[in-house]
Amino acid sequence: MTGLRGRALRGTFVHAPVRGEIEVLDDVVVSLDAEGRIDRVVPAAEGVPEGTVELPAGQLVLPGFVDLHVHAPQYPQLGLALDEPLEVWLQKYTFPLEARYADLDFAREAYGTLVTDLLAGGTTTALYFATVHREATELLAEISLAQGQRALVGKVVMDLAESCPDYYRDATPQAAIDDTRAVIDHIRALPGNDRVLPVITPRFIPSCTDEALTGLGQLAAECGCHVQTHCSESDWAHGYALERFGRTDTDALRQFGLLTRKTVLAHSVFLTDADMDEVRAAGAGVAHCALSNMYFGNAVFPLRKALDKGLHVGLGTDISGGPSASMLEACRTTVAASRVLDDGVDAERPAGERGRPGSRVDMLTAFHLATAGGGVALDLDIGLFRPGYHFDALIVDPAAAAGTVRLFGAQPVERIEQILYTASRANLAAVYVGGDLVSGADRSGAYS
Ligand code: GUN
Ligand code: FE
């Protein structure tokens, strides 16, 4: 694979270490070590080492996007049946599709296309739900590694007979735990694996037995790996745990040992104040899926409140609960959803009673969450241009003719917000993960 390991790139880099702000590293040289981590960031005025790759004028380097919630097997139904409520959509469309991944040929084709497309869209790290199948989950990890994507991959656990169909379910709680352990071992032992990690993945409480949840919690403590699940996504999903356990799903997950520093809770729309305190105390993170929540969430996640309380938050597309695979779109929808919450939605109510003032976030905050925020949630050194961080980066060409950014002569570095709102895949000239060139119009040359 071509790339920048052991070399240096000169250009203007833009990242967002804190929410609401960007930091512009104007005309700097970023040098990489042999492992593809950032070694040094120094102004070009201090000297440019020989062999440094120079970015063309007008182009910018941004951190790669971290998508904190992707159902890899659902890519073939992106944009399908979003007029159904969550529990119907799962049973009628999603479980039948996911069951097809018992067929490894189908899995290979769908997963290969997904990873290629996500890299082209700038998603350098993805936190993936796979399916219940051990082999197909391992295949997703192998495909991510082969294409160079930083990926966290989980075998989905769903073993509760009353809520999961006969044709798509773990055979027993013990089989679910054993298969999860086998996938963890397999991923950790993949030859040359410097970027794919295993994830313990109970689908959500409504699909799991107490026995499976207990066993997965023990496994999380034993293996120290990441955990992901859906939490308080909709009225129905939130209400389910209250009925079954007499406590919220967040609290139940904590009791099962599934709320850790390396846990990512998808959605979390209906977290109570006490739930948020538990999430923060555990150092766990939330995958905010603004677009998907419009269809299945029944409400808008109080993002500002979660951030103000100090929770780790990143963004997720929730392919295919959300009909877009683009993290740029996820940023845009995050801003829009926050404004809808701020203002409210019912035009027949007086303005003062319509929304929740103080809820809006800006694009720079969304960009921070989609990059550095995702890195913090995953406890990985990604999302920033700092020594020690992995060089996961996008070369943005605002002037690309086939792209959608039109600056009419303005300097790109002064128009980051506009670029984030209007850019599309054609504006991403190259994509790097760990210093390796993984996507781009010119994988053979221009930037490597
Ligand atoms: N809850 C349980 N499974 C799913 C899923 O596949 N998508 C979404 N959006 N919510 C879920
Ligand atoms: Fe989901």
Side-chain angles (χ1 to χ4, degrees):
M1 204 177 282
T2 49
L4 292 167
R5 291 186 192 220
R7 304 176 67 194
L9 178 66
R10 175 184 182 179
T12 294
F13 292 67
V14 179
H15 63 172
V18 297
R19 68 170 150 127
E21 295 174 27
I22 52 165
E23 182 177 55
V24 177
L25 306 166
D26 197 16
D27 195 17
V28 296
V29 176
V30 172
S31 44
L32 278 60
D33 67 17
E35 274 71 56
R37 287 196 190 237
I38 296 169
D39 207 12
R40 278 154 49 90
V41 181
V42 287
E46 289 179 19
V48 180
E50 205 170 313
T52 297
V53 177
E54 307 237 356
L55 263 199
Q59 301 194 1
L60 299 168
V61 193
L62 302 183
F65 293 119
V66 180
D67 190 336
L68 279 190
H69 189 48
V70 182
H71 293 272
Q74 295 176 18
Y75 196 41
Q77 67 171 13
L78 195 72
L80 189 73
L82 293 169
D83 50 344
E84 301 275 17
L86 174 64
E87 54 280 22
V88 175
W89 175 83
L90 285 172
Q91 299 286 345
K92 200 165 148 188
Y93 299 94
T94 305
F95 293 162
L97 171 59
E98 291 192 11
R100 293 184 61 192
Y101 288 74
D103 174 354
L104 290 179
D105 290 332
F106 179 69
R108 190 171 294 107
E109 193 194 340
Y111 285 159
T113 303
L114 171 70
V115 174
T116 302
D117 287 356
L118 290 189
L119 285 172
T123 299
T124 49
T125 297
L127 176 54
Y128 286 122
F129 277 62
T131 60
V132 297
H133 314 101
R134 188 170 58 76
E135 290 88 349
T137 303
E138 293 171 357
L139 183 61
L140 173 60
E142 288 158 17
I143 287 170
S144 302
L145 183 59
Q147 293 203 31
Q149 188 177 42
R150 197 174 304 288
L152 300 95
V153 178
K155 180 212 113 63
V156 172
V157 168
M158 39 192 290
D159 68 322
L160 187 61
E162 67 194 49
S163 59
C164 306
D166 292 343
Y167 66 84
Y168 187 56
R169 186 170 76 219
D170 291 292
T172 64
Q174 195 56 47
I177 296 160
D178 291 346
D179 280 355
T180 298
R181 184 191 292 274
V183 172
I184 292 168
D185 292 344
H186 179 92
I187 291 175
R188 287 182 167 171
L190 282 175
N193 184 5
D194 61 351
R195 63 189 62 178
V196 179
L197 297 166
V199 190
I200 290 172
T201 308
R203 185 171 204 119
F204 61 161
I205 280 180
S207 70
C208 297
T209 60
D210 287 13
E211 211 179 333
L213 293 164
T214 303
L216 293 179
Q218 287 166 353
L219 195 56
E222 188 188 319
C223 298
C225 58
H226 287 81
V227 176
Q228 62 181 340
T229 189
H230 295 87
C231 185
S232 290
E233 175 177 3
S234 65
D235 284 312
W236 168 77
H238 181 72
Y240 175 94
L242 287 172
E243 194 142 306
R244 175 160 145 197
F245 298 118
R247 58 182 71 240
T248 62
D249 47 3
T250 306
D251 196 36
L253 289 166
R254 181 188 56 76
Q255 282 207 315
F256 285 116
L258 291 165
L259 201 62
T260 77
R261 171 66 185 91
K262 288 173 147 187
T263 295
V264 174
L265 303 173
H267 307 285
S268 305
V269 174
F270 292 96
L271 295 187
T272 64
D273 283 347
D275 288 340
M276 284 202 184
D277 290 342
E278 285 190 4
V279 172
R280 188 193 44 211
V286 172
H288 173 39
C289 305
L291 185 57
S292 167
N293 290 346
M294 302 259 184
Y295 300 98
F296 296 134
N298 308 129
V300 175
F301 170 64
L303 171 62
R304 264 287 278 285
K305 177 174 172 182
L307 292 174
D308 289 344
K309 271 182 165 280
L311 272 65
H312 299 159
V313 182
L315 304 186
T317 58
D318 193 25
I319 294 167
S320 64
S324 168
S326 161
M327 283 296 287
L328 284 164
E329 284 299 333
C331 289
R332 295 161 196 161
T333 317
T334 295
V335 176
S338 80
R339 299 201 54 163
V340 168
L341 179 60
D342 193 287
D343 282 337
V345 294
D346 186 348
E348 292 186 3
R349 296 174 72 108
E353 297 170 16
R354 209 180 289 144
R356 190 198 273 233
S359 295
R360 54 177 73 185
V361 300
D362 62 5
M363 182 49 111
L364 301 186
T365 294
F367 175 57
H368 162 76
L369 298 176
T371 53
V376 169
L378 291 172
D379 200 19
L380 296 177
D381 298 328
I382 53 175
L384 290 173
F385 298 117
R386 288 219 173 119
Y389 277 64
H390 298 284
F391 187 79
D392 295 0
L394 318 175
I395 309 290
V396 179
D397 179 8
T404 39
V405 179
R406 301 291 180 238
L407 296 180
F408 296 95
Q411 290 303 310
V413 73
E414 290 156 9
R415 297 296 183 93
I416 297 299
E417 194 177 4
Q418 206 176 350
I419 290 169
L420 292 169
Y421 268 114
T422 59
S424 49
R425 198 190 274 195
N427 293 110
L428 303 183
V431 180
Y432 292 92
V433 178
D436 299 329
L437 184 64
V438 293
S439 186
D442 190 359
R443 278 191 75 172
S444 59
Y447 303 103
S448 60

